[in-house]
Amino acid sequence: MFRHAARVTRQLPTRAVRHVSTAPRPASWRVGAGSAILVGTTLAATYPYWAVAELKDELSTRHDHLEGIKQPSGQKLISYAEVQKHNTKDDCWVIIGGNVYDVTEFLEYHPGGAKVILAQAGKDATKIFKPLHPPDALDQLDPQQHLGPVDPTTVPAGADEPTDEERQIEQARKSLPPADAMLLLSDFEVWAEKVLSGTGWNYYKSAADSESTMNNNEAAFANYYFRPRILRDISTGSTATTAVGAGMSVPVFISPAAMAKLGHPLGEVNLTRGAGRCGIVQGISINASCSLDEIMAAREEGQKVWFQIYLNKDRKASEALLRKVTALGAAAVIFTVDVAWQSKRTRDVRAKTTVAAPIETTGGDKDKGTGGKTGASKAPLGVSQAISGFQDTHLVWDDIDFIRKHTNLPIIVKGIQSIEDVELCAQKGVQGVILSNHGGRACDYAPAPIDLLYELRALRPDLFDKVDIMMDGGVRSGADAVKALALGAKAVGMGRPFLYANGTHGQEGVERVCEIITEEITNTMRNCGVTRVEDLRPEMVGPRGPWVGANRPPWLGKP
């Protein structure tokens, strides 16, 4: 609910601060700090000790009139009935992790819109909040907006009861095979549908409109077949390669994938640790459910990560974020350009009316429900819309210069869907491009990246010498990856397979995906007569069917 908000610099009410209001606030109170969240600091770090004590006394006094129990320590436990009274846009409280917050002033600044928060007004929002936010997300609220703990003895008895969905997931997990029993990447997807929440599954699986692009991304790989060569020494070899200056043990990277906590409590940290153990590059999503600091701290020594950026409507926030990721040691910036305008993520939007309500609704709400009954959406706008409100729709080619002005990191443009734009990227001097349609989440009926890669090889092979070309979208096997590599891709990205595996087995699942894809790439390469990635050639792959007439790859020439 609080993701990607520009920190609103506001003074505490005079009655609450008196001597405190003149104390200078540190820069971190106003400047961006990870995942485009502009976070504040703790009360103790912001004010001198005497001011903290006075402010706590003042806040305690201000809470005395609230319904609840005052403990001997002076702390007020706020009753659940009191919280329920504050359920409008002019007076909005929520409970998160057993604490009560007044988010009334924050509503207008929430990037996903006020409706996402108002759907939880006067309720316990913990179940929707935690999977979507890093631990420090609440730091951006002013201290007086933390009203205190809720009285646990007043919380409705059924509030913490597992829903029917949660019971079903628990049962499914009892039958979940171990990670090493997963032999294909698709095995993780099958089990993810069984063990993920409806919100998580529908967000991960969702694509634009009819999902034609997503489906075609995978299906298009079947249009290309190998021409293996024989009687070559394939007894030794390597899958190691380099893309945009980053070494990889296998030519695969984790595409920037958001909301990993929807699958596992450790979220993107599992992706980071798994990537580090396997020697591949992780693309960090700006919409990550873990903080940037958490993710970067989870790296192994020397581990390379690429940071994805969507430009913020507030470009000052983007400037601060670019400076931060540069200082933290990212190896490149991925400028994602294919979803400047949000498409309808059909499954994600539909899920808002089919997921189980986290708690019983109260008051005059129209959508009644509790436990496993269908009720109000956990994400009324769909997860995608709820986390993307900060993104600027006004993106132009000069924005590459804007990024370059604020970082010295290599720039990778992700979301290229035409040969012409590959050429323009090369002219702009970027170091890499990723042919992508956002996993089918951008324009329905956009070209499959493998088809665009084939076009590039056939019509503009010179561009492969001007910029590192990569692709993601539809890669579901080592054979898929080798087809792309033979056509000239430096590496291929995968998003959903890693999210599914994280959701089923956590870090162990992430590492198992790497093992499967490495094994399949190795097997495919060697059975095509190749032992090293750099020895793959376009002559080894082409359209399905006989290579004669119009079906013959143009780079082969006449037989």
Side-chain angles (χ1 to χ4, degrees), residues 221-250:
F221 277 97
N223 294 327
Y224 301 93
Y225 275 66
F226 295 110
R227 289 297 186 271
R229 302 301 302 272
I230 63 171
L231 296 178
R232 298 183 176 187
D233 182 7
I234 55 172
S235 55
T236 60
S238 172
T239 58
T241 192
T242 301
V244 192
M248 309 174 184
S249 65
V250 62

Side-chain angles (χ1 to χ4, degrees), residues 274-520:
R277 289 284 299 273
C278 297
I280 66 171
V281 173
Q282 175 195 14
I284 300 174
S285 171
I286 191 174
N287 287 330
S289 49
C290 294
S291 71
L292 181 57
D293 292 310
E294 281 183 286
I295 295 169
M296 298 300 269
R299 291 176 298 169
E300 295 188 356
E301 185 177 355
Q303 182 178 342
K304 303 292 187 182
V305 295
W306 296 336
F307 182 79
Q308 174 212 36
I309 190 166
Y310 296 114
L311 291 183
N312 200 307
K313 295 171 185 175
D314 176 7
R315 292 304 172 92
K316 293 294 184 182
S318 292
E319 291 176 13
L321 184 55
L322 286 167
R323 288 194 295 269
K324 176 166 186 174
V325 299
T326 303
L328 286 175
V333 170
I334 299 175
F335 179 26
T336 298
V337 296
D338 52 2
V339 286
W341 189 266
Q342 281 292 317
S343 63
K344 176 178 61 188
R345 313 282 175 84
T346 309
R347 288 176 190 257
D348 188 27
V349 176
R350 279 183 175 156
K352 72 180 184 179
T353 57
T354 58
V355 298
I359 59 173
E360 182 176 358
T361 55
T362 57
D365 294 343
K366 295 181 180 179
D367 295 319
K368 299 291 183 181
T370 184
K373 296 181 182 178
T374 298
S377 168
K378 290 184 179 180
L381 300 177
V383 175
S384 176
Q385 286 177 280
I387 64 175
S388 60
F390 73 97
Q391 294 171 213
D392 196 352
T393 58
H394 181 72
L395 298 180
V396 294
W397 286 99
D398 285 345
D399 286 323
I400 293 175
D401 298 322
F402 167 83
I403 294 172
R404 185 176 287 119
K405 180 180 178 181
H406 298 287
T407 182
N408 59 0
L409 297 177
I411 298 173
I412 302 168
V413 179
K414 181 178 183 291
I416 302 301
Q417 300 167 80
S418 69
I419 293 176
E420 292 81 2
D421 284 344
V422 174
E423 182 174 22
L424 288 173
C425 283
Q427 292 174 1
K428 274 290 185 179
V430 303
Q431 285 72 31
V433 299
I434 301 175
L435 310 180
S436 176
N437 50 46
H438 218 81
R441 292 179 155 193
C443 177
D444 214 5
Y445 294 97
I450 188 64
D451 287 339
L452 183 56
L453 186 64
Y454 183 84
E455 287 182 23
L456 268 171
R457 174 54 64 187
L459 302 176
R460 291 297 307 274
D462 59 298
L463 292 175
F464 289 92
D465 296 323
K466 298 179 180 179
V467 61
D468 280 2
I469 295 175
M470 297 167 282
M471 64 145 288
D472 77 357
V475 177
R476 294 296 182 270
S477 71
D480 291 343
V482 174
K483 291 174 186 179
L485 296 168
L487 288 173
K490 290 288 187 179
V492 299
M494 297 192 300
R496 288 185 179 94
F498 284 107
L499 290 175
Y500 295 149
N502 175 63
T504 58
H505 296 85
Q507 180 183 338
E508 186 181 12
V510 173
E511 293 178 20
R512 180 59 182 151
V513 167
C514 293
E515 291 172 358
I516 292 171
I517 198 73
T518 301
E519 176 190 38
E520 293 180 350

Side-chain angles (χ1 to χ4, degrees), residues 90-373:
D90 298 317
D91 185 14
C92 182
W93 292 8
V94 294
I95 301 169
I96 299 173
N99 291 294
V100 183
Y101 297 88
D102 181 349
V103 295
T104 309
E105 294 182 14
F106 181 77
L107 291 174
E108 65 178 297
Y109 302 106
H110 184 233
K115 290 183 179 179
V116 179
I117 302 178
L118 288 172
Q120 304 298 323
K123 306 174 188 177
D124 190 329
T126 303
K127 284 190 176 182
I128 180 176
F129 178 87
K130 284 194 172 181
L132 301 176
H133 301 80
D136 60 3
L138 290 169
D139 289 351
Q140 63 188 279
L141 296 179
D142 282 337
Q144 86 275 15
Q145 291 173 304
H146 179 194
L147 304 181
V150 67
D151 184 347
T153 66
T154 65
V155 177
D160 293 326
E161 288 293 315
T163 65
D164 286 351
E165 179 187 60
E166 289 168 341
R167 293 188 182 97
Q168 291 169 3
I169 290 172
E170 183 180 4
Q171 287 300 313
R173 283 199 172 274
K174 292 179 180 179
S175 302
L176 178 67
D180 59 10
M182 302 295 183
L183 302 181
L184 302 172
L185 298 186
S186 58
D187 292 342
F188 287 106
E189 182 173 355
V190 169
W191 279 98
E193 186 173 9
K194 297 176 182 179
V195 302
L196 290 179
S197 68
T199 300
W201 168 255
N202 285 293
Y203 174 66
Y204 291 164
K205 184 68 174 179
S206 65
D209 301 337
S210 68
E211 301 185 346
S212 297
T213 299
M214 178 186 70
N215 294 331
N216 188 50
N217 282 351
E218 293 186 37
F221 277 97
N223 294 327
Y224 301 93
Y225 275 66
F226 295 110
R227 289 297 186 271
R229 302 301 302 272
I230 63 171
L231 296 178
R232 298 183 176 187
D233 182 7
I234 55 172
S235 55
T236 60
S238 172
T239 58
T241 192
T242 301
V244 192
M248 309 174 184
S249 65
V250 62
V252 172
F253 61 92
I254 300 178
S255 294
M259 298 292 106
K261 278 189 178 180
L262 288 174
H264 191 281
L266 294 181
E268 286 77 10
V269 167
N270 280 338
L271 303 182
T272 306
R273 290 172 177 166
R277 289 284 299 273
C278 297
I280 66 171
V281 173
Q282 175 195 14
I284 300 174
S285 171
I286 191 174
N287 287 330
S289 49
C290 294
S291 71
L292 181 57
D293 292 310
E294 281 183 286
I295 295 169
M296 298 300 269
R299 291 176 298 169
E300 295 188 356
E301 185 177 355
Q303 182 178 342
K304 303 292 187 182
V305 295
W306 296 336
F307 182 79
Q308 174 212 36
I309 190 166
Y310 296 114
L311 291 183
N312 200 307
K313 295 171 185 175
D314 176 7
R315 292 304 172 92
K316 293 294 184 182
S318 292
E319 291 176 13
L321 184 55
L322 286 167
R323 288 194 295 269
K324 176 166 186 174
V325 299
T326 303
L328 286 175
V333 170
I334 299 175
F335 179 26
T336 298
V337 296
D338 52 2
V339 286
W341 189 266
Q342 281 292 317
S343 63
K344 176 178 61 188
R345 313 282 175 84
T346 309
R347 288 176 190 257
D348 188 27
V349 176
R350 279 183 175 156
K352 72 180 184 179
T353 57
T354 58
V355 298
I359 59 173
E360 182 176 358
T361 55
T362 57
D365 294 343
K366 295 181 180 179
D367 295 319
K368 299 291 183 181
T370 184
K373 296 181 182 178

